[in-house]
Amino acid sequence: MEANGLGSQGFPELKNDTFLRAAWGEDTDYTPVWCMRQAGRYLPEFRETRAAQDFFSTCRSPEACCELTLQPLRRFPLDAAIIFSDILVVPQALGMEVTMVPGKGPSFPEPLREERDLERLRDPATVTSELSYVFQAITLTRQQLAGRVPLIGFAGAPWTLMTYMIEGGGSSTMAQAKRWLYQKPQASHQLLRILTDALVPYLVGQVAAGAQALQLFESHAGHLGPQLFSKFALPYIRDVAKRVKARLQEAGLAPVPMIIFAKDGHFALEELAHAGYEVVGLDWTVAPKKARRRSDGWC
């Protein structure tokens, strides 16, 4: 600790590192707790704050994102904060229009339909400048947390982002996106590479801005069986982790623990345990003890 109470990045010194120590596989005095959708509609103050502007305008306001991130910590003794944002800011940064329709969810007025539609996407190298508001929100939140708990940054994994960009929103079957995998495999890989190229600097930028851990959400893993997952999702999940860690080292930034959460991806648990992440998130369908046995030898 420096004499002024600030860490090496100029942020307040961390007082509760239990979550980070657990993420690195170290022993802790208790099991640290944080929640998915930690900042959410279950909080009346969240609903009040969100009522002031539309969803993505909120995401683009560092002050609003900071406030929403901090709200649950004022009520509960949580061990980590996760920045308020959305995985679909990445397709937006690539030039796609995305709106949040009340009662329906995200909507893409012009989804990707044909291979030539990939030409509409911006250069993934421009994503970090387009998403500077996320970095500003992370820095502001780290300052406002005053070292109380660590701050988690996140992004959606390539396959999950691809499904939204092709389906035009949520889907119970992902029929359009899966049709691409079968009928347009080369274009599918091209899109997944574009998304990976966008995600790597975005996640590195979150760490540079102050994120102390990163989570990659493969929310639609369950729509792929083992073969399709191994071909169209897992390679990019691995690539994100490998490249983020290399870029952090190149930039002289300290490593941070990375979490992979593949919802309904129980069939790939062994592969995910060796995909280059420090933590594998489990959904409610997987028994933790069985998951530990299946990933025996991990770490």
Side-chain angles (χ1 to χ4, degrees):
M1 179 173 176
E2 298 179 8
N4 59 5
L6 300 179
S8 59
Q9 287 182 277
F11 294 115
E13 198 74 19
L14 184 61
K15 303 182 182 91
N16 177 358
D17 66 349
T18 306
F19 166 80
L20 293 181
R21 287 190 289 115
W24 285 118
E26 300 174 13
D27 291 334
T28 59
D29 295 333
Y30 63 93
T31 301
V33 174
W34 71 278
C35 303
M36 295 284 195
R37 299 192 181 276
Q38 190 159 284
R41 290 185 291 270
Y42 70 98
L43 293 174
E45 57 268 38
F46 175 93
R47 297 194 297 271
E48 182 180 349
T49 303
R50 279 281 296 107
Q53 55 190 343
D54 69 76
F55 180 80
F56 284 111
S57 294
T58 302
C59 289
R60 287 188 287 271
S61 167
E63 294 77 15
C65 290
C66 176
E67 168 61 20
L68 291 167
T69 302
L70 295 177
Q71 284 176 352
L73 293 165
R74 298 185 186 123
R75 283 182 175 258
F76 309 114
L78 298 160
D79 293 290
I82 182 165
I83 193 67
F84 180 84
S85 186
D86 194 86
I87 65 172
L88 298 182
V89 298
V90 171
Q92 282 184 329
L94 288 169
M96 297 193 74
E97 181 184 355
V98 189
T99 59
M100 194 65 72
V101 180
K104 177 185 176 184
S107 176
F108 289 66
E110 296 184 51
L112 304 176
R113 288 290 180 240
E114 303 296 335
E115 184 172 353
R116 63 177 178 272
D117 291 338
L118 298 180
E119 299 172 7
R120 291 163 30 200
L121 301 178
R122 293 180 183 138
D123 183 344
T126 66
V127 162
T128 51
S129 60
E130 293 288 335
L131 295 176
S132 60
Y133 59 85
V134 177
F135 306 143
Q136 292 167 19
I138 288 172
T139 299
L140 177 61
T141 304
R142 267 294 300 274
Q143 292 167 343
Q144 293 297 314
L145 278 169
R148 178 176 173 180
V149 293
L151 179 62
I152 305 169
F154 71 91
W159 158 248
T160 291
L161 296 180
M162 174 181 171
T163 63
Y164 282 108
M165 295 164 74
I166 292 173
E167 296 289 341
S171 168
S172 61
T173 63
M174 303 298 166
Q176 296 292 336
K178 292 179 76 172
R179 184 175 290 117
W180 269 57
L181 302 185
Y182 286 113
Q183 298 182 356
K184 302 178 175 66
Q186 290 184 329
S188 296
H189 281 298
Q190 182 182 353
L191 176 54
L192 291 163
R193 285 193 296 269
I194 290 170
L195 289 164
T196 301
D197 289 345
L199 287 168
V200 171
Y202 177 48
L203 289 168
V204 172
Q206 290 188 43
V207 176
Q212 294 155 288
L214 296 171
Q215 176 150 307
L216 193 68
F217 285 89
E218 189 67 282
S219 305
H220 296 162
H223 290 278
L224 300 175
Q227 289 184 324
L228 287 178
F229 186 84
S230 294
K231 185 175 182 179
F232 291 103
L234 187 60
Y236 300 99
I237 288 171
R238 288 174 173 153
D239 200 32
V240 167
K242 180 180 178 180
R243 290 171 60 186
V244 166
K245 292 181 178 189
R247 289 280 292 271
L248 289 175
Q249 187 173 18
E250 291 167 7
L253 293 167
V256 301
M258 296 184 68
I259 307 163
I260 176 63
F261 176 66
K263 185 176 182 294
D264 296 324
H266 49 84
F267 53 83
L269 184 59
E270 293 86 350
E271 290 82 0
L272 290 168
H274 295 88
Y277 294 77
E278 283 67 42
V279 180
V280 175
L282 304 177
D283 63 39
W284 66 280
T285 67
V286 181
K289 286 185 179 180
K290 291 183 179 179
R292 172 57 69 183
R293 287 198 295 270
R294 286 177 57 188
S295 57
D296 186 38
W298 176 43
C299 299

